[in-house]
Amino acid sequence: MKSLRSVGIIGTGSYVPERKVTNFDMEKIVDTSDEWIRTRTGIGARHFAADDETTSDMAAKAALKAMEAANVTADEIDLIIVGTLTPDMLLPSTACLVQDKIGANGSAAFDLETACSGFIYAMEVGRNFVATGMYNKVLVIGAEKLSSFLDFEDRATCVLFGDGAGAAVLGPVEDGKGILSSELGADGSKGMVLKIDAGGCKMPASEQTLKDRLHYITMDGSEVFKFAVRIMGSASLNVVEKAGLTLDDINFLVPHQANMRIISAAAKKLNLPLEKVQINLTEYGNMSAASVPVALDQAIREGKIKEGDKTVLVGFGGGLTWGACVIQW
Ligand code: ACO
């Protein structure tokens, strides 16, 4: 779609819970090793939220930081979109809980579930509201408390994920800046490779579902891996082309943080050395929808993304889904 107004990120914020759990800590929980986790994934640690800390708590903290960076008050927020696969509750939405926590009482609010692609999807939805002039300031958030949905008896999944939240405020920007191009995609035929079986209407919570451990994330790791390597590369190249740019124009990459080997493959497709890629899975693991916005906020605060830069954001996730965009700062 040709934007009526140019839309960009005018402030970012993130929050990661205090409790750090290293691979050595995981060795005490499941039959794994720091060496296995590091060499297969690149992950060295993850942070888990406190027992009484929820996805909306973390989302609200990240949101307030983003609003401060954007110099925007709660009254100015027109819409809140939360990308999450780990909502506080099935009803009400996490976005409504966040709205109440940050005092953005005049805003619309809803959740969007595209797993790890959640933030990039939320950005694109928010962008369209601002582009058409319907809204001026949209708060987009990726937030997850995955630790509540991990099976700590399944070493193939529980070592991969962490908790956290990242946020961005979208608003109109001067022409030629902001989000230059984007791509969203989904392949529902592969939905069952990454799933939580029970808790929905197909299999409501029961004594049996609890006994069968069906409320946790399960994954066909190698299928997800193959999909991720393919899609991260092709989606990145597509958005560069759609923006009318060449690879030489791209200064920096902010990828979803699932696996170092997947990130390296995407960087290679874009001809970028790893110094030009934000990597935080070493410390935080895969925070699903929170991975991209936390990495983006870190890159901005660390001064790695500067005025005039062109950055690719790219992610993939359950659904299966994917999303990418090019941002001109
Ligand atoms: N510690 C030690 N051994 C392990 C562990 C562990 N934590 N997990 C699995 N293994 C074992 C397996 O049991 C298997 O043993 P076997 O050969 O005796 O059966 C062996 O290690 C190899 O397992 P593979 O699954 O083949 O290992 P692989 O090299 O494929 O790596 C991994 C697995 C890291 C999960 C990889 O497939 C991957 O990164 N996939 C993508 C995952 C991903 O991105 N998920 C997030 C999706 S985003 C979202 O929307 C939530």
Side-chain angles (χ1 to χ4, degrees), residues 162-192:
D163 302 335
V169 179
L170 303 179
V173 292
E174 90 192 50
D175 266 352
K177 288 197 169 181
I179 303 162
L180 300 182
S181 65
S182 63
E183 169 172 314
L184 300 180
D187 180 0
S189 72
K190 299 210 175 64
M192 294 305 129

Side-chain angles (χ1 to χ4, degrees), residues 38-326:
R38 261 181 213 281
T39 51
R40 297 291 175 124
T41 71
I43 296 167
R46 69 288 294 140
H47 288 231
F48 286 154
D51 290 346
D52 61 353
E53 193 173 30
T54 65
T55 297
S56 71
D57 291 333
M58 294 187 280
K61 285 183 177 156
L64 289 172
K65 288 186 192 167
M67 287 156 60
E68 192 187 347
N71 202 15
V72 161
T73 63
D75 295 345
E76 293 174 78
I77 301 292
D78 299 308
L79 168 66
I80 301 170
I81 310 174
V82 176
T84 187
L85 73 99
T86 54
D88 289 22
M89 304 159 75
L90 286 180
L91 179 73
S93 73
T94 300
C96 283
L97 299 173
V98 171
Q99 185 219 40
D100 186 44
K101 283 177 186 167
I102 65 172
N105 307 326
S107 71
F110 64 88
D111 286 1
L112 167 161
E113 205 276 82
T114 57
C116 304
S117 316
F119 180 77
I120 294 176
Y121 260 74
M123 258 184 48
E124 186 55 12
V125 175
R127 167 163 88 122
N128 280 285
F129 278 109
V130 179
T132 57
M134 176 153 175
Y135 293 134
N136 273 319
K137 300 286 185 306
V138 175
L139 178 60
V140 289
I141 304 172
E144 305 282 8
K145 185 175 180 181
L146 288 149
S147 58
S148 294
F149 298 86
L150 295 179
D151 183 350
F152 287 97
E153 291 184 8
D154 176 13
R155 66 179 181 175
T157 53
C158 73
V159 302
L160 303 175
F161 299 98
D163 302 335
V169 179
L170 303 179
V173 292
E174 90 192 50
D175 266 352
K177 288 197 169 181
I179 303 162
L180 300 182
S181 65
S182 63
E183 169 172 314
L184 300 180
D187 180 0
S189 72
K190 299 210 175 64
M192 294 305 129
V193 305
L194 193 50
K195 61 189 164 79
I196 299 175
D197 282 298
C201 69
K202 186 177 175 189
M203 219 188 278
S206 68
E207 255 178 65
Q208 195 60 43
T209 61
L210 281 179
K211 223 167 101 203
D212 294 341
R213 309 184 74 76
L214 296 177
H215 295 272
Y216 298 122
I217 293 174
T218 56
M219 178 175 78
D220 180 338
S222 69
E223 276 302 312
V224 178
F225 188 90
K226 280 184 269 176
F227 161 76
V229 167
R230 181 172 54 80
I231 214 71
M232 294 273 276
S234 63
S236 299
L237 294 179
N238 288 346
V239 288
V240 173
E241 195 185 323
K242 274 191 205 173
L245 302 172
T246 67
L247 292 186
D248 291 341
D249 297 314
I250 302 301
N251 312 93
F252 203 75
L253 171 66
V254 181
H256 176 49
Q257 310 277 319
N259 186 309
M260 198 52 220
R261 290 181 287 155
I262 298 171
I263 293 175
S264 300
K268 205 168 159 203
K269 280 267 180 215
L270 286 173
N271 269 346
L272 285 174
L274 287 179
E275 306 83 75
K276 300 273 184 189
V277 182
Q278 190 67 15
I279 294 160
N280 67 16
L281 86 174
T282 32
E283 173 70 22
Y284 300 136
N286 177 351
M287 297 181 286
S288 185
S291 276
V292 167
V294 170
L296 178 65
D297 181 51
Q298 288 179 323
I300 290 171
R301 286 174 196 267
E302 289 165 12
K304 292 183 188 164
I305 294 175
K306 295 173 290 303
E307 187 80 16
D309 279 355
K310 294 181 183 71
T311 305
V312 169
L313 269 53
V314 62
F316 67 92
L320 296 170
T321 58
W322 68 91
C325 64
V326 175

